[in-house]
Amino acid sequence: MPASPSTARAINDRLALGLLQREGPLTANQLKQLTGLSRPSVADLVERLQGSGLIAVVGEAGARRRGPNARLYGIVADRAHLAALDVRTDGVSVVVTDLLGAVLAEASAPVGGDTGTAVEQAVALVERTARDGGVQRLHTVAIGAPGLIDPATGELRGTSGLPAWHRRLTGALQERLPARVLVENETNLAARAEQREGAAHDRDTFVLLWLGEGVGAAVVLDGTLRRGASGGTGEIGFLPVPGTDQMPSATRCDGGFHSLACAAALRDLGAEYGILKPDASAADVLRHAAEAGHEAYLDAAADRIAVGAAAMAAILDPGCVVLGGETGRAGGDALAARVADRLAAMSPLRTEVRASTLGGSAVLRGALFAARDAAQDELFGPRP
């Protein structure tokens, strides 16, 4: 059925705003050419968007030629301000941006003490970072955290091993800030970032295998992040695997894939191969092994990681696995190539393996994209 006039206007407005976001400031004639709309339709939408405070004249085109110059229209970046959080076990990183993603301020700080103290420290850090960026009011805040997100409520579920203040943080931010607050699993956010501007930028279907203190996976199929019935898609740390001396349980992933590929396991593996330095992390070990060409250790690490990657490939056939997290990124192309070789030997399903290109910034970047998408959907209207 043909769209109603109001629906058609909303679609045209969102189309124009999308072009202005991707291309930067444009003239009315350029908007006409890129949208295919008539001159009167473009004039109407420009007037509507100016009236709503979403776009403004930001300059002129052809300033060097004689005669009147065409006005350049751009999105009003200060129309809304956003905050993205990467919540760790013992700290928080925050970035505050405008509506187009330009960074205004960023900060990181340790968080500790009892639950109430930790929550207060985290909230105060967000407020302070916003002030440092000259922001009086935040429109949307997105939080990336470990753990499961309840698909029915959108809230972080209680998980053993994670600090209690993680669950309290969302409610505290909603009470203190006049802002919309979203929370998402860290691995899912990392996958969003890798798809937007990282190793999976050319993929609609892929799996991000997160290798860090814990292990997990994010599944993107046909451009859509899949969360599962209980929000647990990708909890691969609980996957029973050969090479461990016990089975995982409902409350502990010891004995699952976690025991083979978590940071502690890969660090201990480095000690077995004589490349462990004092106070070195698993990422340090992998980075050193890749740079120094410790092939025996890299082969052993790839043997372990390929077990989990092969399970995801056999079930989902994603065509691409990205090795993310601090540990996965540290192994670089040397580790990715070895995991790919093992997948080729284990499965008839062709699966490319790539190293993350975003590393430690992936969760924060993904949270920023989540905040920006949510704010723009509210201000710009639903996507066509």
Side-chain angles (χ1 to χ4, degrees), residues 313-349:
I315 296 170
L316 300 170
D317 188 19
C320 179
V321 172
V322 176
L323 303 183
E326 184 181 10
T327 307
R329 175 71 181 91
D333 293 337
L335 179 64
R338 285 170 167 78
V339 175
D341 288 343
R342 283 148 181 78
L343 287 184
M346 295 167 68
S347 171
L349 305 177

Side-chain angles (χ1 to χ4, degrees), residues 83-87 141-145 169-170 173 181-185 189 367:
L85 281 68
D86 181 5
V87 177
V141 177
I143 304 169
L169 180 58
T170 301
L173 285 169
V181 181
L182 315 171
V183 61
E184 178 61 278
N185 172 266
L189 290 177

Side-chain angles (χ1 to χ4, degrees), residues 2 4 8 28 34 46 56 124 185 198 272 291 296 329:
S4 66
L34 292 171
V46 166
N185 172 266
E272 293 179 22
E291 293 172 351
R329 175 71 181 91

Side-chain angles (χ1 to χ4, degrees), residues 9-20:
R9 286 193 295 270
I11 292 172
N12 292 341
D13 290 355
R14 185 61 191 252
L15 176 60
L17 288 165
L19 287 168
L20 290 169

Side-chain angles (χ1 to χ4, degrees), residues 211 257 260-261 265-267 269-270 273 285-286 289 294-307 323 327 331 335 338-339 342:
L211 302 170
F257 180 59
L260 287 184
L266 294 179
R267 185 177 183 275
L269 184 65
Y273 283 85
V285 173
L286 271 162
H294 285 285
E295 295 190 6
Y297 171 76
L298 290 172
D299 287 341
D303 287 342
R304 294 184 173 205
I305 294 167
V307 172
L323 303 183
T327 307
L335 179 64
R338 285 170 167 78
V339 175
R342 283 148 181 78

Side-chain angles (χ1 to χ4, degrees), residues 35-308:
T35 61
L37 297 173
S38 67
R39 191 175 300 278
S41 294
V42 170
D44 287 344
L45 75 82
V46 166
E47 184 177 355
R48 281 196 303 275
L49 295 177
Q50 281 187 291
S52 63
L54 290 173
I55 70 172
V57 176
V58 295
E60 294 182 341
R64 295 183 178 180
R65 65 183 177 86
R66 295 181 178 179
N69 299 314
R71 294 176 175 177
L72 279 170
Y73 298 96
I75 292 175
V76 179
D78 289 338
R79 182 68 170 76
H81 294 102
L82 320 171
L85 281 68
D86 181 5
V87 177
R88 304 286 90 200
T89 302
D90 56 0
V92 176
S93 295
V94 183
V95 60
V96 173
T97 76
D98 63 22
L99 184 59
L100 294 180
V103 175
L104 304 176
E106 51 190 327
S108 297
V111 171
D114 59 45
T115 298
T117 300
V119 169
E120 176 59 31
Q121 290 172 347
V123 174
L125 178 65
V126 175
E127 293 176 327
R128 185 167 63 252
T129 307
R131 288 196 301 270
D132 290 345
V135 175
Q136 295 182 348
R137 179 188 178 96
L138 289 168
H139 181 280
T140 304
V141 177
I143 304 169
L148 298 178
I149 307 300
D150 189 322
T153 65
E155 297 178 351
L156 186 66
R157 291 168 53 184
T159 305
S160 60
L162 293 178
W165 65 267
H166 280 198
R167 290 196 69 199
R168 290 272 305 276
L169 180 58
T170 301
L173 285 169
Q174 289 173 331
E175 291 176 2
R176 289 268 286 272
L177 305 175
R180 180 182 182 183
V181 181
L182 315 171
V183 61
E184 178 61 278
N185 172 266
E186 59 179 356
T187 307
N188 289 343
L189 290 177
R192 182 195 289 256
E194 293 287 357
Q195 188 177 30
R196 290 284 187 92
E197 59 182 21
H201 65 92
D202 58 345
R203 291 282 183 170
D204 287 332
T205 296
F206 70 99
V207 166
L208 173 70
L209 188 58
W210 182 268
L211 302 170
E213 294 301 320
V215 298
V219 176
V220 177
L221 302 177
D222 299 323
T224 301
L225 180 71
R226 304 296 180 178
R227 293 181 172 83
S230 62
T233 294
E235 286 295 317
I236 196 172
F238 288 90
L239 178 74
V241 295
T244 60
D245 58 2
Q246 59 181 311
M247 295 288 284
S249 70
T251 57
R252 295 183 64 86
C253 53
D254 295 341
F257 180 59
H258 173 91
S259 295
L260 287 184
C262 70
L266 294 179
R267 185 177 183 275
D268 291 344
L269 184 65
E272 293 179 22
Y273 283 85
I275 59 173
L276 182 59
K277 298 179 180 180
D279 300 323
S281 66
D284 293 332
V285 173
L286 271 162
R287 192 176 298 109
H288 173 74
E291 293 172 351
H294 285 285
E295 295 190 6
Y297 171 76
L298 290 172
D299 287 341
D303 287 342
R304 294 184 173 205
I305 294 167
V307 172

Side-chain angles (χ1 to χ4, degrees), residues 350-363:
R350 185 175 179 180
T351 307
E352 186 178 1
V353 181
R354 303 175 179 178
S356 163
T357 59
L358 299 179
S361 67
V363 175

